[in-house]
Amino acid sequence: MLVTVVTIFPEMFPGPLAHSLCGKSLGKLWNLRTVNIRDFADDKHHTVDDSPYGGGAGMLMKPDVVHRALTDALSQYEGIPKVLFMTPRGRAFTNKVALEIMEKPRDGVIILCGRYEGVDQRVIDHWKATHGMLEISIGDYVLFGGEIPAMVVMDSCLRFMDGIMNNHESTQHESFAVDLLEHPQYTKPAVWNGVEVPSVLLSGNHKAINEWQLEQAKFVTRSARPDLWLRYSGDA
Ligand code: SAM
């Protein structure tokens, strides 16, 4: 799968994605290309931004320059990739959205990273209409740019790629897989700092262990995420 990041900071990639299972599978199960938006500016200063019409603070990314960069990104795909724009105004990114992005048939992903005060609305509307561009937010806060959000989305989506995880089953039991947070987990030593691992986990009784884990998952979800608990318990 080819992932293309369209950004004014290509040197930020692969960054953290070069490590661990993402990094090991880079170049094998997935490939990364960056497109430097600045390369598509048409003046000698490589200008990618300008002041907003109507006034207001900050600068906006220019539609013509961003459009040329996205068109270059698209030129490397034979099929139809998913096109994402990272923006605080987008759909909230969740496990469900990651699964949708990774749905088959899948011909790769293009991710546009904004900077400054964002991107001229016309280029967003054009790519939404012509390529189904999805606007995605990683949370209700504002970051300086879309590069870290793009990394978050890539990291999360790649966990659902066949063959990338040593133990694919773990994605099915993790937090959010069924609107529940994960139960607490323990490893050796059996006693640490005077605290014992819950005895049921040492019992070898798998039915009892499963029941205990489910009850713990429900307790954690109810306490930490009442919104998720309402969804899980069907009251929403
Ligand atoms: N003026 C914009 C607003 O109020 O919605 C914020 C622009 S932000 C400073 C610059 C860029 O960072 C955005 O275009 C977007 O690409 C990225 N960004 C910032 N926060 C984000 C978030 N929560 N989720 C996704 N992208 C974000």
Side-chain angles (χ1 to χ4, degrees):
M1 182 177 84
L2 175 63
V3 180
T4 307
V5 182
V6 180
T7 168
I8 59 167
F9 293 119
E11 65 279 10
M12 288 174 77
F13 292 87
L17 301 171
H19 299 269
S20 188
L21 297 179
C22 270
K24 278 189 194 151
S25 55
L26 179 54
K28 299 183 185 108
L29 295 175
W30 69 289
N31 288 303
L32 177 65
R33 178 173 182 246
T34 51
V35 169
N36 189 345
I37 299 172
R38 252 180 230 293
D39 291 344
F40 297 87
D42 55 8
D43 64 334
K44 68 174 184 206
H45 300 296
H46 303 287
T47 307
V48 295
D49 59 317
D50 212 326
S51 53
Y53 280 112
M59 303 292 267
L60 278 180
M61 297 181 95
K62 290 162 65 65
D64 48 342
V65 182
V66 171
H67 178 71
R68 284 194 291 271
L70 282 168
T71 305
D72 181 84
L74 190 63
S75 70
Q76 301 300 308
Y77 292 85
E78 279 167 19
I80 301 171
K82 300 246 163 65
V83 184
L84 315 179
F85 171 45
M86 306 315 305
T87 166
R89 296 195 320 210
R91 179 176 172 197
F93 186 65
T94 61
N95 231 25
K96 189 164 170 274
V97 177
L99 276 164
E100 283 173 25
I101 292 169
M102 295 302 281
E103 249 166 26
K104 291 177 184 160
R106 163 191 76 213
D107 290 301
V109 182
I110 295 173
I111 309 181
L112 172 63
C113 305
R115 278 274 157 181
Y116 313 107
E117 286 311 314
V119 179
D120 183 292
Q121 187 63 38
R122 289 166 294 179
V123 70
I124 301 169
D125 290 344
H126 176 79
W127 280 77
K128 273 165 103 166
T130 55
H131 295 88
M133 178 189 259
L134 299 171
E135 294 180 87
I136 295 193
S137 164
I138 64 158
D140 290 348
Y141 41 79
V142 177
L143 303 173
F144 281 116
E147 288 76 13
I148 292 173
M151 287 174 195
V152 168
V153 167
M154 287 159 72
D155 190 303
S156 166
C157 287
L158 286 168
R159 292 175 70 80
F160 294 116
M161 176 172 255
D162 294 341
I164 211 161
M165 304 272 284
N166 293 332
N167 179 4
H168 186 64
E169 223 188 293
S170 58
T171 54
Q172 291 157 19
H173 295 285
E174 280 178 323
S175 298
F176 308 113
V178 286
D179 286 335
L180 278 181
L181 302 177
E182 193 176 59
H183 51 79
Q185 303 213 70
Y186 302 87
T187 185
K188 294 185 182 69
V191 181
W192 177 78
N193 201 26
V195 182
E196 288 180 19
V197 166
S199 57
V200 65
L201 298 179
L202 309 175
S203 68
N205 180 340
H206 291 292
K207 183 166 176 286
I209 292 173
N210 286 341
E211 283 169 7
W212 180 86
Q213 288 177 334
L214 180 60
E215 283 316 305
Q216 289 291 316
K218 287 180 183 174
F219 176 76
V220 172
T221 309
R222 222 169 22 227
S223 328
R225 290 287 304 274
D227 56 320
L228 213 56
W229 174 250
L230 278 179
R231 270 217 305 268
Y232 174 80
S233 56
D235 292 342

